[in-house]
């Protein structure tokens, strides 16, 4: 007899990334376009953003691979005045999560800094055990 494994913390982590990464990639694209139009020497800035965007895309590929391996699928995503509500299925179980705008803004800001090569250790909470901290 086989049993279905319930939705895990790892599954939820990857659903969060699935929601956040497209927003980050879009922000990098928007900012890159703005910089190209507004600065006299946009090249170095645009190149840096392009590299950051490539790192975000690489993480998105990892998220999609995890989804495929674990049978995870986000089947509905809605923006509300409070945040983004997502419904997903994983190994036969159905669940949902809502990420509030404050959380989205904070996490996106940290991840964008990470992708740009900046030190994000200031944002880590040392009271949280290492194995429970965000992966990136």
């Amino acid at each position: 007899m086989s049993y279905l494994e319930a939705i895990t913390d790892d599954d939820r982590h990857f659903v969060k990334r699935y929601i956040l990464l497209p927003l980050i990639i879009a922000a990098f694209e928007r900012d890159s376009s703005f910089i190209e139009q507004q600065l006299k020497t946009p090249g170095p800035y645009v190149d840096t953003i392009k590299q950051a965007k490539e790192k975000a895309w690489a993480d998105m590929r990892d998220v999609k691979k995890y989804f495929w391996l674990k049978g995870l699928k986000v089947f509905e995503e809605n923006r509300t005045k409070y945040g983004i509500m997502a419904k997903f299925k994983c190994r036969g179980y159905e669940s949902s999560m809502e990420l509030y705008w404050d959380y989205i803004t904070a996490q996106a800001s940290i991840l964008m800094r990470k992708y740009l090569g900046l030190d994000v250790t200031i944002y880590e909470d040392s009271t949280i055990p290492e194995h429970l901290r965000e992966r990136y």
Side-chain angles (χ1 to χ4, degrees):
M1 178 171 107
S2 68
Y3 79 99
L4 295 175
E5 180 184 14
I7 296 169
T8 66
D9 288 341
D10 279 350
D11 299 332
R12 292 185 183 284
H13 169 81
F14 279 93
V15 170
K16 288 177 188 176
R17 290 296 182 253
Y18 181 84
I19 295 168
L20 287 170
L21 286 170
L23 299 173
I24 290 168
I25 291 165
F28 279 144
E29 289 172 352
R30 180 195 63 232
D31 294 349
S32 180
S33 177
F34 178 81
I35 287 169
E36 281 182 327
Q37 295 171 7
Q38 299 298 319
L39 299 183
K40 290 185 181 188
T41 54
Y45 305 102
V46 171
D47 290 348
T48 302
I49 292 171
K50 181 180 178 187
Q51 287 177 346
K53 189 169 59 168
E54 288 170 3
K55 291 175 187 175
W57 272 115
D59 279 350
M60 190 63 172
R61 284 189 295 277
D62 290 344
V63 167
K64 288 182 178 184
K65 181 178 180 181
Y66 182 91
F67 271 40
W68 182 79
L69 290 171
K70 298 295 183 172
L72 215 159
K73 179 176 174 84
V74 173
F75 64 89
E76 189 175 326
E77 210 174 311
N78 295 308
R79 290 180 183 223
T80 70
K81 77 178 198 177
Y82 303 110
I84 297 177
M85 171 68 79
K87 294 182 181 180
F88 60 97
K89 289 184 180 184
C90 186
R91 295 179 293 276
Y93 289 93
E94 195 171 302
S95 189
S96 65
M97 76 169 50
E98 184 170 10
L99 301 182
Y100 295 105
W101 290 120
D102 288 345
Y103 174 84
I104 291 169
T105 301
Q107 288 301 306
S109 178
I110 293 168
L111 283 172
M112 289 175 80
R113 284 178 168 82
K114 178 185 174 279
Y115 294 136
L116 288 165
L118 302 173
D119 182 11
V120 294
T121 56
I122 190 173
Y123 302 105
E124 293 177 358
D125 186 345
S126 61
T127 63
I128 298 173
E130 184 72 31
H131 71 283
L132 297 176
R133 291 186 194 164
E134 290 282 340
R135 287 174 201 209
Y136 28 89

